[in-house]
Amino acid sequence: MKRVFFLLIGILIMCVACQDDFVESENAVATKSSKFEKTKTHQIKGWMQIIPDEAAGRFQCETFGPPYDMCASGWEAGHVNILGKFIQEQSTYTKLYCELMMTPEGPVVYNEVSLDLLLATGERVYMLGFAWINPATGEVTGHGDYTGGTGRFEGITGTAQILNGVVLPEGGLYWDAEGFITLEIK
């Protein structure tokens, strides 16, 4: 009986001694779990439309030949699940860069724009847009990167692809958008 008792005490001492190697501090556990609990990724789908402001001035594009310019700014209309409807009159884009380049398929205009979208909830979402416009076919491709926001969209990140993008007859652009956003949970 004495041997069993000493054997159990020895096992208990060994378990307690080995336990420190596997136990993480409370701060480490809290930090790890809080990192995983504070963000959530959502799939997004919707549509967007660029409406150029012809009175806002022109933006001179880099080009391989004669001068080429486009509208410097305008408005953004649209609706994306999770985000909701954009208030067109207060959702704007500003051209940051454009370049007319020749590709094997013909001329393509590469655009970089910054977007400031006011949502129907009163919150804002900020994006950078990268689009390739084929003036010959009217096809638009590219993507938009979410860079921040206000309210529940503060800290938003993610990307939306431009699908079925076209140049509209009046000069604007239209496309369907699909992608993913990550939101911080507060």
Side-chain angles (χ1 to χ4, degrees):
M1 183 73 169
K2 214 180 214 185
R3 284 185 189 164
V4 172
F5 181 69
F6 285 123
L7 179 65
L8 290 174
I9 289 177
I11 291 172
L12 179 62
I13 290 171
M14 189 131 140
C15 288
V16 169
C18 292
Q19 185 177 15
D20 289 337
D21 293 338
F22 298 102
V23 173
E24 296 183 69
S25 70
E26 285 184 33
N27 286 344
V29 171
T31 302
K32 281 184 180 179
S33 66
S34 66
K35 280 184 183 177
F36 294 113
E37 292 176 337
K38 287 197 172 188
T39 62
K40 183 163 182 168
T41 300
H42 302 273
Q43 184 176 8
I44 57 170
K45 289 185 178 186
W47 63 272
M48 298 176 103
Q49 181 178 350
I50 292 278
I51 301 120
D53 180 4
E54 297 296 337
R58 307 300 287 175
F59 191 94
Q60 191 70 39
C61 296
E62 299 288 323
T63 181
F64 58 86
Y68 187 83
D69 64 357
M70 298 182 79
C71 250
S73 62
W75 301 277
E76 183 83 18
H79 184 278
V80 175
N81 68 335
I82 308 297
L83 303 179
K85 181 182 177 186
F86 307 159
I87 305 300
Q88 176 181 320
E89 298 79 19
Q90 295 178 30
S91 296
T92 60
Y93 79 88
T94 304
K95 193 166 302 291
L96 303 173
Y97 177 80
C98 75
E99 180 178 354
L100 175 62
M101 58 184 89
M102 188 55 77
T103 67
E105 293 81 29
V108 172
V109 181
Y110 169 70
N111 286 278
E112 292 178 10
V113 298
S114 92
L115 297 115
D116 178 350
L117 307 173
L118 177 63
L119 307 177
T121 61
E123 297 160 309
R124 291 196 174 275
V125 172
Y126 308 110
M127 296 180 72
L128 289 175
F130 307 91
W132 288 263
I133 303 168
N134 185 325
T137 65
E139 180 183 7
V140 179
T141 59
H143 67 279
D145 295 336
Y146 292 89
T147 59
T150 62
R152 67 183 176 136
F153 298 109
E154 185 176 350
I156 188 175
T157 58
T159 299
Q161 297 299 314
I162 293 175
L163 304 172
N164 308 315
V166 295
V167 176
L168 298 173
E170 62 277 357
L173 307 175
Y174 175 90
W175 63 84
D176 295 321
E178 283 189 23
F180 293 90
I181 58 172
T182 300
L183 299 174
E184 293 179 1
I185 299 171
K186 299 174 181 178

